[in-house]
Amino acid sequence: MFRRALRNVLAHKARLLMTVLAVMLGVAFVSGTLIFTDTYKNASDSQTAKSYAHVDAQVDENTEYSGDSPGISRKTLDAVARLDSVADAAGRVDGSAYVADRDGGLIANGLFNSSANFAPGKDGKDPLYVFTDGSGPTGPGRIALDKDTADKGGYHVGDTVPVALTGPAKAYQLSGIFTTENEDVAAGGSLVLFDTPSAQRLLLQPGFFEKVTVTAAPGVSNTELVAAVSKVLPHSAKAKTGRQLAATDAQLVAGDAMTLNGILFPFVGVALFVSVFLIGNTFTMLAAQRTRELALLRAVGASRGQVTRSVLIEAMTVGTVGAAAGLGLGAVLAAVASATVEFDGGTPDGPLIVTSTTVLVAAVVGVLVTMVAAWLPARRAAKIPPVAAIGSAHLPATTKSLVLRNVLGGILTLLGAAAVVAGTGAGSSSGGGIVGFGAFLAVTGLLVLIPLLSRPVIAVVQPLLRRGFGVSGTLAGRNAVRSPRRTGATASALAIGLTLVSALTVLGVTLGESMDKMTTDIVKADYLVTAGGVRLDASAVAALRKVPGVRAVSQEQQGWMRLDGSQQDVTAVIPADFDKALHLPVVSGSQDTLAKGQVAVEENLARSHGWKVGDSLPAEHGDSGKSRRLTVGAVFAYNEVVMPVVVSADVIEANATAASFSKIYVTTDGTTNEKALADALPGRPGTKIDDRQAIRTELGGAFATVLNVLYALLAISLVIAILGVVNTLAMSVFERQREVGMLRAVGLDRQGVTRMIQLEAVVISLFGAVIGVGLGSFLGWAVCEITKADIPGYALVLPWGRFALFLLLAALVGLLAALWPARSAARLNPLTAIKTE
């Protein structure tokens, strides 16, 4: 039986090709995800290990005891350096710096534009940096650059380089160019080195360091070094080995990889679930076409178990081939993703990692999915009675066999719909789980009911087919409902994909419209000024105020504070200007109370803490640690424009004019433009000025981007669904060779046969699309309903234009899927086909 099963696979290579492709795509998605995340984790771990290669131990602030200390003091550094177990100790200062090119643009635009101090040891070298040209900076007004940044800017030793920290860029002389294993540089960022006194003055505070890197004396282990160093440290500092620090960073990377897997694997599951329908449909049709062959096996003594095992062996063979091909394709996809996808500005380079676990998972998934999908067809094949060997080669399924299926499907669908509706009224806390469970039941129920639904739904379009396409249209409509199981299984794959796509579209468009309305209602300013990663200062505000036509300039300072014992993100503003730039959606109280030193809090935050207008709350500023009490003057609706807590700038900063800002809103009288504002801010690399439309796009564009990514991830399931349509039609044509021959013999020309097959494909595809769009709209509505409390200005939007596009694409999919089967049917020789059994 094993040899016979293998021979059957070889005999039906063409008919099993689409099944192999479906398995291959599903496995490629699984293995590609695993290979990509393993490659990313390995490269990040390797980069982290390199960055700590010259660090035996490191002293950092102890966050539990740091208090108001700005960092590690010079006294602590000297105490560490005097230890006998220490060969060298270097104080380190870190911060941000932004290098401009010769045209004033920002080099290495991203999240990793960093700066540090050059800390030479007793030998005059800093082990963290290897200079390829020149030397480290030795005084104010001099810097060193990493080689990549210097090359991008075309800078050489001795050149003048503009560098911005806060405010306009200042000119520094380039003293040296270096290479480094610094993680920011590896991620595509830039690194500027200052001499230590300059770095302390610019980035921290004179006499203090962010951390201290320590090198062990000969014969001293890292563990012994940490023990010795810890004895001379104050409570505000603590020491760890380089290996411990690398391991901590590696755990963060591992968490990122797990998060990435958690995002991708649901889409993997969808692709594999769709594959099950294609595989099951294929083996069902193969079993139907081999009715006489399987019946003869039973007649000559084969047991039901042997017939079942024979079909499962065929499935295992197909799954193995598909899994092997999928693993190879997954490696290719992972290689492409590693070369193109960037996280937070860059991804470290490294070799492609294919672990034994990935290989095993690919094999198990490919074989298991195929065998599970083929199990029911195998059981049906085993039940074929021996007497069928002398009858028709194809035994049609009876309507009676669908009764139990239809009853079960109806119950599941009704229960699921009821659960979804009930979940929408339960709120976001518990409603999500109820809606998710109901959606699972409803989707499962509809998939079970699809064969029953195919007849009435397709019957609606049959008159149109008959009137529009004559005999070909009539035959296409009848063929589409001839085998409800086959039509249902083929349409199910498209229905699943379009259910998810439609639900995401409803949610995404609703969120996007709400965000757009929120932006229009809240933002009164005409322009938003940002400067890439560069912080804007009071000089930028003063310069913008002087531009003719500017009515108000409102800077936005972001920070954090402890409010009533809980840490909260804060937006600090100048109340008089803020009122002209933004209009908070106040639920209770008044925005004017900000000018009185009171605080405005977001509605959900206030509800969760039991705060209301008039309450007096203990507050502690996050940076200074100073305490005071703040009165709640306003409660505003949730929005994405400001942080959950809004206060006047003088509440969190004694000298607001010395603060740095992330955003500046500009309100004009309509007589000025972006160029005039840009001209007022020279020497600030990366400065960006958005008008009202750009502000709306900036705030609402994130939803569109996420939606597009989700569409791309779901595309693989739609590709598999298309393969299912192709496979069904191809095998259907093979099964109906005699019928096609008879049609040709009685006068139906090749064009008529081609049109018949194409229309059948379009009808089946549109049937699946209608089911998917309808169910997706229902589920999208449910998700919007349970999250509407978190959607500012919620109003459900049903994107009819996109739905029409989905249906049009489904029809196009049907036409494309029918090209090969239709061509094969049209080329059949009528006499040969008539003689086919």
Side-chain angles (χ1 to χ4, degrees):
M1 295 298 288
F2 181 78
R3 288 194 297 271
R4 180 192 157 280
L6 294 180
R7 283 197 299 270
N8 273 327
V9 171
L10 295 175
H12 300 103
K13 294 189 292 292
R15 278 178 275 175
L16 290 171
L17 176 61
M18 297 301 171
T19 303
V20 172
L21 287 176
V23 177
M24 180 185 73
L25 290 173
V27 171
F29 210 165
V30 175
S31 57
T33 298
L34 293 174
I35 294 170
F36 175 65
T37 52
D38 287 342
T39 298
Y40 167 69
K41 182 177 180 301
N42 178 74
S44 299
D45 289 350
S46 177
Q47 183 59 50
T48 300
K50 289 179 182 178
S51 65
Y52 288 108
H54 300 287
V55 177
D56 293 327
Q58 181 170 295
V59 179
D60 294 287
E61 279 190 285
N62 188 340
T63 54
E64 297 179 9
Y65 300 99
S66 59
D68 297 336
S69 173
I72 310 297
S73 68
R74 166 62 70 174
K75 179 181 178 182
T76 300
L77 172 62
D78 293 339
V80 171
R82 287 194 297 266
L83 293 172
D84 294 336
S85 55
V86 174
D88 195 14
R92 304 289 177 183
V93 182
D94 300 317
S96 298
Y98 306 87
V99 184
D101 58 25
R102 297 185 186 275
D103 297 325
L106 185 62
I107 297 178
N109 190 7
L111 299 179
F112 301 117
N113 298 295
S114 57
S115 60
N117 64 313
F118 175 66
K122 297 173 184 177
D123 59 357
K125 298 180 180 180
D126 190 327
L128 299 185
Y129 314 105
V130 178
F131 281 83
T132 59
D133 194 10
S135 59
T138 55
R142 297 170 67 85
I143 62 166
L145 284 179
D146 68 275
K147 188 175 185 304
D148 289 344
T149 301
D151 289 344
K152 291 174 184 176
Y155 292 123
H156 303 88
V157 172
D159 287 351
T160 298
V161 181
V163 178
L165 284 89
T166 298
K170 296 181 180 179
Y172 293 86
Q173 184 180 21
L174 185 61
S175 67
I177 298 173
F178 60 88
T179 60
T180 178
E181 297 296 343
N182 181 276
E183 290 178 297
D184 290 349
V185 174
S190 61
L191 177 61
V192 180
L193 294 183
F194 300 95
D195 67 285
T196 296
S198 297
Q200 290 176 317
R201 174 174 52 84
L202 294 170
L203 306 175
L204 187 59
Q205 184 173 314
F208 287 89
F209 303 91
E210 298 277 357
K211 57 193 174 187
V212 174
T213 55
V214 186
T215 303
V220 178
S221 69
N222 291 354
T223 304
E224 293 171 339
L225 178 64
V226 167
V229 168
S230 297
K231 293 178 181 178
V232 300
L233 296 180
H235 290 305
S236 60
K238 61 180 178 180
K240 287 185 178 181
T241 66
R243 289 183 179 179
Q244 287 176 320
L245 295 169
T248 299
D249 287 355
Q251 287 179 349
L252 295 175
V253 173
D256 291 341
M258 289 297 292
T259 300
L260 182 61
N261 282 340
I263 295 172
L264 292 177
F265 273 126
F267 297 96
V268 173
V270 171
L272 293 174
F273 188 54
V274 172
S275 297
V276 168
F277 287 92
L278 189 158
I279 297 165
N281 209 19
T282 300
F283 279 95
T284 297
M285 295 175 71
L286 281 175
Q289 291 170 8
R290 290 156 49 196
T291 300
R292 178 171 292 180
E293 173 190 338
L294 296 173
L296 281 172
L297 285 174
R298 293 294 314 283
V300 298
S303 66
R304 286 188 176 185
Q306 286 178 310
V307 173
T308 301
R309 286 192 295 273
S310 173
V311 177
L312 290 179
I313 290 170
E314 294 178 34
M316 182 181 68
T317 305
V318 170
T320 302
V321 173
L327 180 62
L329 179 59
V332 172
L333 295 176
V336 172
S338 297
T340 57
V341 176
E342 293 187 350
F343 295 99
D344 294 335
T347 303
D349 295 328
L352 204 64
I353 304 299
V354 183
T355 66
S356 56
T357 300
T358 299
V359 175
L360 181 61
V361 169
V364 170
V365 167
V367 175
L368 189 62
V369 166
T370 310
M371 293 185 70
V372 167
W375 181 68
L376 281 176
R379 286 193 63 207
R380 293 195 199 103
K383 292 180 180 180
I384 295 174
V387 72
I390 59 174
S392 172
H394 309 295
L395 297 179
T398 62
T399 305
K400 184 178 179 180
S401 64
L402 293 173
V403 172
L404 180 61
R405 172 177 180 149
N406 295 337
V407 171
L408 177 62
I411 293 173
L412 288 175
T413 302
L414 290 174
L415 288 176
V420 168
V421 173
T424 59
S428 57
S429 57
S430 58
I434 298 173
V435 168
F437 178 69
F440 172 76
L441 291 180
V443 170
T444 304
L446 268 180
L447 293 179
V448 174
L449 275 179
I450 273 186
L452 174 66
L453 296 174
S454 64
R455 291 184 181 276
V457 173
I458 295 176
V460 173
V461 299
Q462 279 183 325
L464 299 176
L465 293 173
R466 184 171 57 254
R467 285 196 293 267
F469 301 97
V471 174
S472 296
T474 301
L475 292 172
R478 291 177 179 176
N479 287 336
V481 296
R482 175 187 294 183
S483 176
R485 288 182 185 272
R486 181 185 304 167
T487 299
T490 306
S492 293
L494 273 174
I496 294 168
L498 284 175
T499 294
L500 295 174
V501 169
S502 300
L504 289 172
T505 300
V506 171
L507 178 61
V509 171
T510 298
L511 287 174
E513 290 288 334
S514 299
M515 182 60 67
D516 188 67
K517 182 177 183 300
M518 175 198 71
T519 305
T520 304
D521 292 345
I522 293 177
V523 179
K524 298 161 61 177
D526 298 298
Y527 297 98
L528 171 63
V529 181
T530 56
V534 182
R535 305 290 289 183
L536 297 159
D537 62 356
S539 67
V541 176
L544 290 169
R545 290 186 192 277
K546 295 177 182 178
V547 176
V550 170
R551 291 177 50 235
V553 178
S554 176
Q555 64 264 39
E556 183 178 297
Q557 181 181 353
Q558 295 181 350
W560 65 275
M561 65 164 46
R562 292 192 181 279
L563 194 62
D564 198 17
S566 62
Q567 181 173 317
Q568 303 295 337
D569 293 324
V570 174
T571 294
V573 300
I574 306 298
D577 296 326
F578 180 70
D579 185 58
K580 297 181 180 67
L582 298 175
H583 174 70
L584 283 179
V586 174
V587 176
S588 60
S590 172
Q591 181 173 327
D592 296 338
T593 57
L594 291 173
K596 302 176 183 178
Q598 297 183 4
V599 60
V601 295
E602 187 265 321
E603 184 179 17
N604 293 330
L605 178 65
R607 186 184 301 113
S608 64
H609 288 272
W611 301 334
K612 59 184 182 299
V613 172
D615 287 351
S616 178
L617 309 176
E620 179 181 323
H621 181 238
D623 295 327
S624 67
K626 295 179 181 178
S627 299
R628 61 182 299 174
R629 296 192 73 85
L630 293 176
T631 300
V632 177
V635 175
F636 59 89
Y638 168 82
N639 64 86
E640 292 285 343
V641 180
V642 296
M643 297 293 187
V645 175
V646 180
V647 296
S648 175
D650 56 9
V651 170
I652 66 170
E653 191 72 45
N655 183 10
T657 58
S660 60
F661 316 115
S662 57
K663 301 175 183 176
I664 299 177
Y665 290 97
V666 180
T667 306
T668 72
D669 60 7
T671 61
T672 190
N673 55 32
E674 296 172 47
K675 185 178 184 304
L677 298 177
D679 290 343
L681 301 172
R684 299 173 186 267
T687 299
K688 182 182 177 186
I689 300 175
D690 293 330
D691 60 14
R692 286 186 63 82
Q693 183 56 49
I695 295 172
R696 293 165 65 182
T697 303
E698 183 78 18
L699 292 173
F703 295 108
T705 300
V706 170
L707 194 61
N708 290 335
V709 170
L710 295 178
Y711 282 163
L713 292 173
L714 286 171
I716 190 71
S717 63
L718 293 177
V719 171
I720 294 173
I722 293 170
L723 293 177
V725 178
V726 175
N727 206 29
T728 298
L729 290 174
M731 298 184 72
S732 178
V733 167
F734 176 83
E735 187 177 284
R736 303 198 314 248
Q737 287 185 67
R738 188 171 188 175
E739 176 186 323
V740 173
M742 290 293 294
L743 290 172
R744 293 279 284 112
V746 297
L748 189 64
D749 59 13
R750 287 188 174 185
Q751 187 177 4
V753 171
T754 300
R755 189 181 300 117
M756 177 185 72
I757 302 297
Q758 289 175 335
L759 289 173
E760 182 180 350
V762 170
V763 167
I764 293 175
S765 297
L766 282 175
F767 169 58
V770 167
I771 297 294
V773 169
L775 181 57
S777 301
F778 174 62
L779 298 181
W781 162 79
V783 174
C784 288
E785 281 292 308
I786 62 174
T787 58
K788 65 181 180 182
D790 299 322
I791 303 176
Y794 166 77
L796 180 69
V797 179
L798 293 177
W800 298 109
R802 296 199 187 191
F803 290 163
L805 178 61
F806 294 160
L807 296 177
L808 182 62
L809 290 175
L812 181 61
V813 162
L815 283 175
L816 293 176
L819 288 178
W820 173 45
R823 184 169 177 268
S824 299
R827 296 178 63 186
L828 285 175
N829 184 294
L831 295 178
T832 304
I834 290 172
K835 292 188 293 182
T836 302
E837 292 190 13

